[in-house]
Amino acid sequence: MKVLGIESTAHTFGVGIACDEEPYILSNVKDTFVPKEGGMKPGEVARHHSEVAPDIVVDALSKAGVTISSVDGIAISLGPGLGPVLRVGATVARALALKYRKPLIPVNHGIGHIEIGRLTTESNDPLILYLSGGNTIITVLRERRYRILGETLDIALGNMIDVFVREVGLAPPYVKAGKHMIDVCAEKGSELVELPYVVKGQDMSFSGLLTAALRATKNHNLNDVCFSLREIAFDMLIEASERALSLTGKREILVVGGVAASQSLKEKLDVLSEERDVILKIVSPEFAGDNGAMIAYAGLLLLKHGVRINIEESYVRPRWRIEEVDIPWS
Ligand SMILES: Nc1ncnc2c1ncn2[C@@H]1O[C@H](COP(=O)(O)OP(=O)(O)OP(=O)(O)O)[C@@H](O)[C@H]1O
Ligand SMILES: [Mg+2]
């Protein structure tokens, strides 16, 4: 069985092809919109995605060496994400499903991040950290649902470091040669500036930290503020994760989402996993940020369990949370 998956929830338009036997991922092609300045404007991103979509679909099929008639379904990431951007991918997916008479499979973007992580790291019943631009979630799979044990109460860790480096003039781009600008800046700092550290149980809050750090740049060295912001934010996540580990007794940690590419976070997670004697698995950079392969693979799992959606009902779902999705393969 083979599924073509389309990712179009935010900055990246991606298409991947997954199959139900090794090597599982046959292709993974993407193009990420990077604004010249400022944040992402949904209209601009949508235009970018509609321009690149045809070539990316063709390229993903040709790299996989399959024809569209030979795939068994079209998976589409219906949410969560930005409405105008989601609609571009959904329109492409509906058109392909209709023209080639294939089932359309509704995929939650977060479930895609998690399932590609579980597949490619061969993880076994892990505590999952889903860390991305829009989410900071600590979750476990239990009785057909990803149960959320902890999350950010406001903005996500990834979004927080992006906004900070942008506001102080270090970005975009946010990442250069695999390294986030917060790390480039923090490596030149050493002194800890006092900033708010907010953990409530297993939940975290990053918005006060962001505001205080931006304010601190007025009377402290920028490198020291970057260093302090990064250390405090990551330590908050480590504390919440450690608490979730002791509550659940899990023996493995799996990190997924764009922030999983962070080398400095890995160093802290290495210490945590060593101290608690658990195995640490981190999704590879290719599958950390948004990509079509993760949607194709989650779509494949869903299709195998009979999940599909009628075109007329395939509305985009900008606020779709992972715990709303039934997980029949648990
Ligand atoms: N090397 C890196 N170190 C730290 N953060 C990184 C790195 N590479 C990417 N990121 C961060 O990952 C985030 C993007 O991840 P991803 O593409 O999964 O997010 P998203 O799709 O926007 O959010 P969501 O999955 O919640 O909808 C951004 O905040 C980006 O700065
Ligand atoms: Mg994402």
Side-chain angles (χ1 to χ4, degrees):
M1 186 183 266
K2 292 188 201 78
V3 167
L4 178 148
I6 300 178
E7 161 56 31
S8 169
T9 62
H11 42 69
T12 298
F13 187 89
V15 177
I17 316 268
C19 80
D20 57 354
E21 51 194 50
E22 283 200 54
Y24 298 108
I25 304 303
L26 303 179
S27 66
N28 188 27
V29 182
K30 58 190 161 190
D31 194 309
T32 299
F33 174 79
V34 182
K36 291 201 175 53
E37 53 171 17
M40 279 195 304
K41 297 187 186 75
E44 267 176 38
V45 188
R47 197 172 322 119
H48 164 267
H49 287 8
S50 50
E51 279 166 16
V52 302
D55 285 350
I56 293 196
V57 171
V58 170
D59 202 12
L61 284 164
S62 105
K63 289 214 163 87
V66 300
T67 59
I68 188 124
S69 2
S70 71
V71 305
D72 299 278
I74 307 291
I76 175 65
S77 171
L78 284 181
L82 306 167
V85 183
L86 286 167
R87 271 179 220 110
V88 175
T91 305
V92 175
R94 290 182 199 117
L96 291 175
L98 274 174
K99 178 159 168 52
Y100 296 98
R101 298 175 188 275
K102 304 290 178 186
L104 185 66
I105 313 154
V107 177
N108 174 293
H109 174 88
I111 302 293
H113 273 297
I114 293 173
E115 295 303 337
I116 198 79
R118 288 179 58 190
L119 170 78
T120 55
T121 65
E122 297 182 4
S123 62
N124 176 25
D125 191 24
L127 178 77
I128 300 158
L129 309 184
Y130 167 25
L131 313 175
S132 58
N135 285 282
T136 305
I137 285 181
I138 303 174
T139 181
V140 289
L141 180 54
R142 198 184 155 158
E143 292 171 4
R144 296 174 72 105
R145 292 278 159 140
Y146 281 102
R147 313 280 166 174
I148 297 191
L149 303 177
E151 64 181 317
T152 177
L153 297 169
D154 38 58
I155 55 173
L157 172 55
N159 184 234
M160 190 272 289
I161 55 176
D162 291 351
V163 172
F164 180 80
V165 292
R166 186 174 78 222
E167 291 295 313
V168 299
L170 298 173
Y174 302 95
V175 180
K176 275 191 198 154
K179 196 184 260 193
H180 198 283
M181 291 314 289
I182 193 78
D183 287 320
V184 175
C185 173
E187 276 162 16
K188 289 177 248 151
S190 56
E191 207 161 300
L192 205 59
V193 177
E194 204 173 308
L195 296 172
Y197 176 106
V198 188
V199 176
K200 296 179 188 279
Q202 289 154 136
D203 291 328
M204 298 141 273
S205 157
F206 296 104
S207 65
L209 173 59
L210 172 62
T211 310
L214 287 171
R215 202 174 294 143
T217 58
K218 296 201 175 89
N219 47 13
H220 291 87
N221 174 285
L222 178 60
N223 299 123
D224 288 339
V225 181
C226 287
F227 170 71
S228 311
L229 175 76
R230 182 187 75 181
E231 291 303 299
I232 289 171
F234 285 180
D235 283 351
M236 283 164 53
L237 175 71
I238 296 290
E239 179 186 334
S241 307
E242 182 162 26
R243 202 165 283 148
L245 265 185
S246 44
L247 277 170
T248 56
K250 296 288 183 199
R251 308 304 310 151
E252 223 177 73
I253 301 175
L254 169 64
V255 191
V256 300
V259 185
S262 167
Q263 196 55 36
S264 53
L265 178 60
K266 179 179 181 300
E267 284 166 21
K268 286 195 184 277
L269 288 165
D270 276 335
V271 175
L272 171 69
S273 46
E274 215 162 283
E275 278 176 0
R276 301 218 47 121
D277 194 22
V278 298
I279 297 167
L280 175 64
K281 293 196 164 159
I282 301 180
V283 72
S284 70
E286 182 185 3
F287 299 116
D290 291 354
N291 63 89
M294 71 186 199
I295 305 305
Y297 182 66
L300 182 85
L301 294 173
L302 288 162
L303 187 63
K304 276 186 167 270
H305 288 84
V307 179
R308 46 165 76 195
I309 192 166
N310 291 330
I311 303 275
E312 308 78 58
E313 289 159 16
S314 62
Y315 301 112
V316 298
R317 305 171 188 175
R319 297 192 166 273
W320 194 12
R321 285 174 60 86
I322 59 168
E323 74 267 44
E324 293 169 34
V325 182
D326 184 42
I327 306 293
W329 52 87
S330 61

